[in-house]
Amino acid sequence: MNFAPFLFAALIWPILLRADEWADLRAQYQMVTVAGGFGALSGDLNPNEWNNAEAQDALNAELSEPHFAMEDINGRIFVADKNAHAIRRIDPDGTIHTVAGMNLNEIPGGISNAGFNGDGPARQRLLDGPQIAYVMPDGSFYIGDSLNRRIRYVDLAGNMATIINDTDILSRGLWVRRDRQLIYYCTIEGTVSRLRRWTPAGGVVTVATNFGEAGNIDVDAAGNIYVSDRTLMGVYRVPPNYGGGAMTDALRVAGVGNQITTDSNAASNGQMATSVGMRGARGVAFHPLGGYFVATHRGGDVWYVDTAGRAWMFVQGDNGNTHLPGSAPVPTAGLVMSEPRSVSVGISGNVLIACNDSGYIRIVRNIAPKVVAPAWLPSSNTPAGAGLQWQSTPGKWYYLECSTDLGSSSWQPLAWLAGTGAATSFTDTGSTTASRSFYRLREFRGWPN
């Protein structure tokens, strides 16, 4: 057997407090461009129905008010195509594919493609207004199936299962820890919006209530939950042990709060984020430098809030129908987009922005990922399989793949494991097969998740 483990270049930044964090961030990003969608119409009246672009160029796909986009470790972008009631995947080759939900022209009799018909093969299951697709590094994903009031999981074989069935409508927030043992999500019913937590042992409990309209969620290194709120005009940091009580303005860390007409521009760069108007704050996502991005629905912008709590304009938009179909340098000096619904940061550092109006998925690619190489330790063959070991770091995660050769397209996922701060071990029980000739290890950012 050709047992030749070798190391793949890692995609991670050290989490350091730098002298000029904003300058470091700017060095990583140059252009905002379009990864999918073509903007057939503009404005809130855009029907944005799916235009039978299956397996075609994603730039020719008519997306239906997409609300969230997120990357896996292989650079595939998963899109919650809300009003078409489907989850799409944009592959690195630029093609787009439906991975959950049913397209209208595929349903016998032409019945509605929104609804619920149980669990099973994801391409044969109905969704109803999905607002988020939260992607695990290996490409499996969770769906915030909003009007079905469910959180659903799609595995690597393409099978869908319900994980949580809530009595409330699901809002736009969903976050899943990499070990899958902790989920945060948001709901809204009438005028009450809540942040909830799920664990296998404890089930569902309410962490905080009295949000206006809770949006996206991310979690910092200390376990605090950051929740964007569209109607309260800010981002709120909720301790994990908050206890289910009413959320207060004392938790606000960005935006000026419930001041509907307040919206700031790049002239506010460097000011404390709590004094910067972020009208309709809707998306939040951490960056490995330690700060986080905020997408504002009504402002149409994406801000970066650094570790000192200062705000910087990253991509500028408006509340009209501004939709640049091409690319623009970042930080942008002019209006690029309108009504972003979310922002996310991929494992490679790419920033993804889902724009509801005209159905654009925008991407700001990271051009300067730093490389860290975890050390392989001596490995062995045993009767149980190949014994692999490497020196790991607490808080970081490792993605193990196997292959029959060293070709770029032959690698298959094997495992992903958390670092322990010592020798991390894995026994590949399938190592006697031809598919286990070579191994590679990717180390990727440990937090945020």
Side-chain angles (χ1 to χ4, degrees):
M1 176 181 177
N2 184 10
F3 180 73
F6 76 99
L7 188 64
F8 184 82
L11 300 174
I12 188 168
W13 302 268
I15 301 170
L16 300 174
L17 183 60
R18 301 171 185 271
D20 193 342
E21 184 178 326
W22 175 236
D24 285 352
L25 187 88
R26 290 183 60 174
Q28 293 181 351
Y29 303 103
Q30 287 189 344
M31 305 293 292
V32 56
T33 188
V34 176
F38 72 100
L41 296 170
S42 292
D44 292 330
L45 298 179
N46 184 6
N48 283 347
E49 296 297 343
W50 182 240
N51 62 339
N52 199 27
E54 193 69 29
Q56 305 300 311
D57 187 348
L59 297 178
N60 292 327
E62 187 176 10
L63 298 176
S64 178
E65 295 196 1
H67 270 53
F68 196 84
M70 190 173 184
E71 269 187 329
D72 69 6
I73 200 168
N74 293 307
R76 301 180 301 178
I77 300 169
F78 292 73
V79 179
D81 199 8
K82 179 192 169 198
N83 282 3
H85 313 290
I87 308 300
R88 318 289 184 190
R89 190 189 70 216
I90 301 173
D91 287 350
D93 65 3
T95 57
I96 190 167
H97 309 264
T98 303
V99 291
M102 298 175 67
N103 294 326
L104 185 64
N105 60 2
E106 295 180 349
I107 300 176
I111 62 174
S112 171
N113 58 335
F116 180 75
N117 62 346
D119 292 330
R123 286 288 286 108
Q124 299 172 25
R125 301 300 95 190
L126 292 171
L127 303 173
D128 199 346
Q131 297 195 55
I132 191 167
Y134 196 92
V135 184
M136 297 286 99
D138 61 0
S140 60
F141 58 97
Y142 292 77
I143 303 170
D145 193 3
S146 297
L147 297 179
N148 280 327
R149 303 170 189 247
R150 286 171 164 83
I151 293 174
R152 307 171 82 176
Y153 172 66
V154 178
D155 64 20
L156 292 177
N159 293 312
M160 182 187 297
T162 295
I163 305 300
I164 299 169
N165 192 349
D166 203 293
T167 57
D168 290 352
I169 293 172
L170 298 185
S171 187
R172 298 166 183 86
L174 176 60
W175 179 91
V176 184
R177 198 169 67 190
R178 285 190 177 133
D179 63 6
R180 310 176 195 271
Q181 302 302 297
L182 174 63
I183 296 175
Y184 290 115
Y185 67 100
C186 295
T187 68
I188 186 167
E189 192 70 20
T191 60
V192 180
S193 186
R194 300 177 176 90
L195 169 65
R196 287 181 165 148
R197 176 181 65 239
W198 173 90
T199 59
V204 173
V205 298
T206 297
V207 178
T209 188
N210 265 39
F211 288 94
E213 188 180 341
N216 293 160
I217 301 171
D218 211 343
V219 177
D220 70 10
N224 297 302
I225 309 110
Y226 284 62
V227 183
S228 60
D229 195 301
R230 174 184 176 182
T231 60
L232 295 185
M233 310 292 168
V235 177
Y236 297 81
R237 180 176 58 211
V238 182
N241 59 350
Y242 194 67
M247 186 275 303
T248 71
D249 194 61
L251 301 176
R252 178 169 48 87
V253 292
V256 296
N258 193 12
Q259 299 179 35
I260 295 174
T261 61
T262 303
D263 185 30
S264 296
N265 55 37
S268 297
N269 277 350
Q271 294 183 16
M272 296 304 295
T274 49
S275 66
V276 174
M278 298 182 179
R279 192 160 50 122
R282 202 154 181 176
V284 61
F286 272 94
H287 185 278
L289 287 174
Y292 56 93
F293 293 100
V294 182
T296 65
H297 175 164
R298 292 302 178 194
D301 308 315
V302 173
W303 293 84
Y304 179 72
V305 179
D306 65 21
T307 50
R310 300 169 300 185
W312 308 87
M313 180 69 75
F314 187 66
V315 179
Q316 187 176 13
D318 70 358
N319 188 37
N321 294 316
T322 298
H323 300 288
L324 184 71
S327 59
V330 294
T332 58
L335 302 181
V336 170
M337 62 189 182
S338 182
E339 294 196 9
R341 289 300 199 262
S342 67
V343 60
S344 70
V345 181
I347 291 166
S348 64
N350 294 336
V351 178
L352 289 163
I353 307 164
C355 294
N356 174 73
D357 281 4
S358 294
Y360 281 118
I361 302 301
R362 303 185 188 276
I363 186 168
V364 190
R365 297 189 184 278
N366 173 33
I367 64 168
K370 296 183 182 293
V371 174
V372 175
W376 280 101
L377 301 174
S379 303
S380 61
N381 282 322
T382 70
L388 309 174
Q389 283 190 322
W390 62 92
Q391 188 66 42
S392 64
T393 302
K396 296 179 182 177
W397 284 73
Y398 298 84
Y399 190 57
L400 185 63
E401 297 175 299
C402 59
S403 176
T404 56
D405 57 58
L406 304 185
S408 61
S409 63
S410 63
W411 294 96
Q412 299 296 320
L414 189 57
W416 46 308
L417 303 166
T420 61
T424 295
S425 300
F426 180 84
T427 299
D428 178 14
T429 57
S431 62
T432 56
T433 69
S435 63
R436 304 291 201 260
S437 296
F438 298 94
Y439 298 87
R440 71 181 180 184
L441 187 68
R442 303 197 208 190
E443 176 182 318
F444 52 94
R445 60 190 180 99
W447 78 270
N449 200 33

